[in-house]
Amino acid sequence: MGLEDIVARVRAAEEKAGRAPGSVRLIAVSKVQPDARVRAALEGGHRVFGENYVQEAAAKWPGFRAGFPGVELHMIGPLQSNKARQAVELFDAIHTLDRMSLARKIAAQIDAQGRAPQLFVQVNTGDEPQKAGILVDELPGFLAECRALGLAPEGLMCIPPEADDPAPHFRLLRDLARDQGLDALSMGMSADFEQAIALGATHVRVGSAIFGARDYS
Ligand SMILES: *Cc1c(COP(=O)(O)O)cnc(C)c1O
């Protein structure tokens, strides 16, 4: 596989779905990947990346950004409230807004820093007790509370339960976004990004299919 193949598959999926070329943002998920692989993607011209850990992103991206202008960095992992300051500094988008305590911290940091990352609300579409995300029934109230803080979430994000067919989760997220008047949909990973694009994804988060397997050892 690799970046060029995945870019081609994203373009083909856009076309098949009758979507405009380039309407889907391919977020290359570089968490835990060796710097050489990330650098190769940058040298190949890719500029949109995703990270899961604030610490790792803070160590890695200021250097890459200095060498490669135009990087757009997405936070796609669970965000601790005490990392909100750094996250607002570092990231152009945060996909994992999942509780009011975090919304308050992000709102305060946007005020303090005068810098507002694009926000996605993570939805727990599978109603999984161990998983982060706003429950489906609680989404309208959560969005209203966010807006009352001055935040303007632009989209929704989900991670379907591993054992499930992802399609019903993608459909549910799409319908929720439509009902709430939100345009952006962050859904689809290495195994299912084409399905997600067919169902309206605007942002796909693809790691191992681009960079190879992650080595956590
Ligand atoms: C790691 C991760 C991805 C990328 O996963 P792959 O299966 O390697 O494509 C996407 N989304 C989230 C939230 C992740 O944590």
Side-chain angles (χ1 to χ4, degrees):
M1 283 192 259
L3 180 59
E4 276 174 47
D5 284 345
I6 300 303
V7 169
R9 284 169 61 187
V10 167
R11 292 295 165 262
E14 284 171 337
E15 190 175 342
K16 197 166 162 209
R19 313 260 309 270
S23 57
V24 175
R25 259 183 147 51
L26 172 60
I27 301 173
V29 177
S30 48
K31 65 171 177 231
V32 195
Q33 296 287 357
D35 281 359
R37 292 186 193 165
V38 181
R39 178 172 290 279
L42 285 161
E43 283 169 351
H46 199 73
R47 288 295 180 270
V48 185
F49 292 85
E51 290 284 346
N52 281 58
Y53 312 102
V54 171
Q55 217 79 330
E56 183 185 350
K60 178 152 121 186
W61 281 99
F64 279 141
R65 274 187 154 140
F68 298 93
V71 164
E72 180 181 305
L73 199 56
H74 292 251
M75 173 59 175
I76 65 166
L79 183 54
Q80 292 168 262
S81 296
N82 64 8
K83 299 265 166 62
R85 179 183 59 75
Q86 260 187 307
V88 169
E89 273 169 19
L90 264 171
F91 291 100
D92 302 294
I94 296 173
H95 291 236
T96 47
L97 175 54
D98 62 355
R99 56 196 193 280
M100 272 326 290
S101 56
L102 179 61
R104 281 185 216 102
K105 291 275 195 302
I106 290 176
Q109 286 303 323
I110 288 174
D111 279 347
Q113 299 182 32
R115 180 174 199 285
Q118 180 184 30
L119 296 175
F120 293 76
V121 174
Q122 184 173 353
V123 181
N124 187 351
T125 57
D127 208 354
E128 294 173 283
Q130 82 289 2
K131 194 168 272 176
I134 300 296
L135 296 174
V136 168
D137 291 345
E138 293 170 1
L139 180 64
F142 182 77
L143 284 167
E145 280 193 73
C146 285
R147 288 174 183 138
L149 285 175
L151 297 177
E154 289 174 48
L156 303 179
M157 176 272 210
C158 75
I159 307 171
E162 239 166 89
D164 284 14
D165 172 5
H169 297 275
F170 295 159
R171 262 187 224 105
L172 172 60
L173 200 70
R174 174 195 65 192
D175 293 346
L176 290 168
R178 184 182 297 156
D179 292 348
Q180 298 300 322
L182 300 172
D183 294 328
L185 278 176
S186 167
M187 59 190 197
M189 314 190 352
S190 286
D192 52 23
F193 67 90
E194 284 147 322
Q195 251 179 310
I197 291 170
L199 292 168
T202 59
H203 295 66
V204 293
R205 311 177 307 264
V206 180
S208 44
I210 291 175
F211 295 112
R214 285 178 288 275
D215 181 1
Y216 287 94
S217 64

